[in-house]
Amino acid sequence: MNFQTTETIQRLWETFLQEQLASLPPEQREAFANQFEQRFGELLGKSAGGNGDAGFFDLLGLGPQGAVGFDKIDYPYVQPDFDDAVVPSQLHAAAELYFIYQHERMKIFEVVETLQRLFRLGKMRIQRGPGARGLYLLEKWRPLRYSRQDRMMAYRRAFNYGTAQPPAGAVVNRNFHRQIVGFMVAMSQYFRDLLIGEVIRGGQLIDQRPFGSVGTIQRIGLDLRYALDRSTYGNIFALAMEVGHYLIQVLNLLDTPDIKKAFDANTKWDVVEIVSNRYLGGVAEPSQRAKMAESGRRILQFVADNDFKTATDPILFQSVVRPMGAHSEAWLAAYRMTPEGRGFPGVTPALRSVLGVPQPA
């Protein structure tokens, strides 16, 4: 389809759209407007046709019709696909790796290594129970697992967490923490604004528009997707899968009756606390880290599976992200209680900082 025909169709479409929306009841206009916008995008995509070679040759005068005017050259419509160019499996692996990282900060792996050392030295009163058997198997499987150094390298590459030296030339996601905090505060701000709007208006819906910024969540979510995608190539997927299974084994091991009895503990988390205080210099915020692991993984899974389309229905978006609002608030509440989060300025100032808005003097 040539440029002149496409331009005429666009003008006629806008006229048709205004006439049709004007004839609809106000409560139905938004739903139909979104459908019309989607159809218009499909129409533009079909109007482009081919791969652009014919239009290029026509511009040079090398086409079958020789030199032609601009009005007869194919319309150069480029399909926007940048936001779709991510590998979902890498993003899901990053979500699992984040869950693992928070357990690393809880000293789970250090605790089990301490138990293995005590078991080898005969300083634990266990010998034949399931805990003893599990410690023996973990020791024998050690050569088959990624080492602590590999984990530290993965955290540095994917999240820029830790002090491990990244390999030369490796892509390091240096803005991850800023982006995930920004996404959490944007989600929290969205639902806080929505709640204010509902209180002021006396209802959940008015003109089918929620009082909240969808664009901010979409922008930060897209940046988070892109940065995670480009920094999680290589062994991140395999490492997340393997260490994830290892973490399951470790948590099951800490919950065995003979190990809990050896430390006079009621739960596996009691074992973690006692061993950390006794041998590792103190406990490391297990309650806060557990909540950050749970809610952070869920948010990253949501980011991985959501394409954040620009022309999304705001009511539909509100329904889809509503469960994420609780996770964002829970993550922020736990984050504020950790050493790195104690300087958190609050939701609104943090969102202003992430978006580059100047802070008031």
Side-chain angles (χ1 to χ4, degrees):
M1 191 179 299
N2 62 46
F3 188 90
Q4 184 175 6
T5 303
T6 303
E7 189 177 40
T8 303
I9 289 176
Q10 291 182 21
R11 289 198 302 268
L12 292 175
W13 178 271
E14 292 298 331
T15 303
F16 168 78
L17 179 62
Q18 294 178 16
E19 293 175 352
Q20 294 300 314
L21 292 180
S23 64
L24 290 173
E27 62 273 11
Q28 298 181 11
R29 288 175 182 170
E30 178 132 15
F32 281 98
N34 290 327
Q35 295 181 25
F36 280 136
E37 180 66 21
Q38 182 178 0
R39 296 291 185 182
F40 182 59
E42 294 175 358
L43 180 63
L44 285 180
K46 292 179 181 178
S47 69
N51 57 7
D53 290 343
F56 179 70
F57 287 127
D58 287 338
L59 279 171
L60 298 178
L62 300 178
Q65 300 179 5
V68 297
F70 283 113
D71 57 338
K72 296 182 180 180
I73 296 176
D74 287 345
Y75 180 72
Y77 178 77
V78 180
Q79 183 70 31
D81 59 356
F82 180 84
D83 294 337
D84 300 327
V86 298
V87 182
S89 60
Q90 292 179 195
L91 301 181
H92 282 283
E96 295 300 326
L97 187 65
Y98 183 83
F99 186 85
I100 294 168
Y101 169 78
Q102 293 299 340
H103 283 76
E104 186 93 50
R105 292 295 302 270
M106 292 160 62
K107 301 183 179 181
I108 297 296
F109 299 115
E110 294 182 61
V111 166
V112 77
E113 290 172 359
T114 300
L115 294 182
Q116 288 178 302
R117 177 171 57 83
L118 297 175
F119 182 66
R120 287 195 304 269
L121 298 176
K123 295 184 178 181
M124 288 179 61
R125 293 184 178 274
I126 61 173
Q127 53 179 343
R128 298 175 58 186
R133 172 70 173 169
L135 289 172
Y136 165 78
L137 292 177
L138 284 182
E139 182 70 25
K140 296 305 176 184
W141 291 348
R142 181 187 296 271
L144 302 179
R145 295 194 303 269
Y146 280 108
S147 65
R148 183 177 185 275
Q149 182 179 0
D150 295 320
R151 299 197 304 269
M152 294 297 122
M153 192 72 68
Y155 303 147
R156 184 65 186 278
R157 286 176 50 205
F159 312 131
N160 199 29
Y161 287 163
T163 58
Q165 184 67 28
V171 177
V172 178
N173 190 3
R174 301 189 183 278
N175 289 325
F176 171 79
H177 188 72
R178 182 170 180 267
Q179 289 172 346
I180 192 172
V181 172
F183 190 84
M184 298 296 185
V185 298
M187 191 74 73
S188 299
Q189 187 69 52
Y190 173 79
F191 282 101
R192 293 180 187 188
D193 290 347
L194 184 61
L195 178 61
I196 293 172
E198 291 174 356
V199 171
I200 294 174
R201 296 186 299 246
Q204 293 185 352
L205 302 177
I206 181 171
D207 296 332
Q208 301 297 310
R209 288 289 297 182
F211 182 73
S213 176
V214 176
T216 301
I217 298 176
Q218 291 179 326
R219 179 65 267 152
I220 301 176
L222 288 170
D223 290 344
L224 190 56
R225 274 165 57 94
Y226 171 67
L228 279 174
D229 176 71
R230 64 191 293 268
S231 63
T232 52
Y233 284 100
N235 70 339
I236 297 294
F237 181 85
L239 185 143
M241 296 301 103
E242 180 189 288
V243 179
H245 286 289
Y246 177 47
L247 179 60
I248 293 174
Q249 291 179 328
V250 166
L251 293 176
N252 290 336
L253 173 65
L254 296 175
D255 206 27
T256 53
D258 51 342
I259 289 183
K260 288 190 291 187
K261 183 179 179 181
F263 292 95
D264 194 22
N266 295 319
T267 68
K268 58 189 174 186
W269 302 112
D270 290 339
V271 175
V272 173
E273 181 179 355
I274 293 170
V275 174
S276 297
N277 284 326
R278 190 177 297 177
Y279 300 102
L280 300 175
V283 70
E285 312 99 27
S287 176
Q288 293 84 359
R289 297 290 176 186
K291 182 56 64 177
M292 290 177 67
E294 174 192 354
S295 296
R297 176 173 65 178
R298 183 64 190 95
I299 288 292
L300 290 177
Q301 289 171 343
F302 170 78
V303 170
D305 296 328
N306 197 304
D307 51 9
F308 298 104
K309 292 296 185 184
T310 303
T312 186
D313 182 357
I315 300 299
L316 175 62
F317 181 84
Q318 174 188 338
S319 301
V320 170
V321 304
R322 185 170 290 277
M324 300 303 107
H327 281 292
S328 298
E329 292 284 6
W331 189 92
L332 287 172
Y335 172 66
R336 290 185 177 196
M337 303 301 293
T338 61
E340 63 267 28
R342 287 171 187 158
F344 182 70
V347 170
T348 302
L351 184 58
R352 287 175 174 269
S353 175
V354 171
L355 297 177
V357 178
Q359 297 291 339

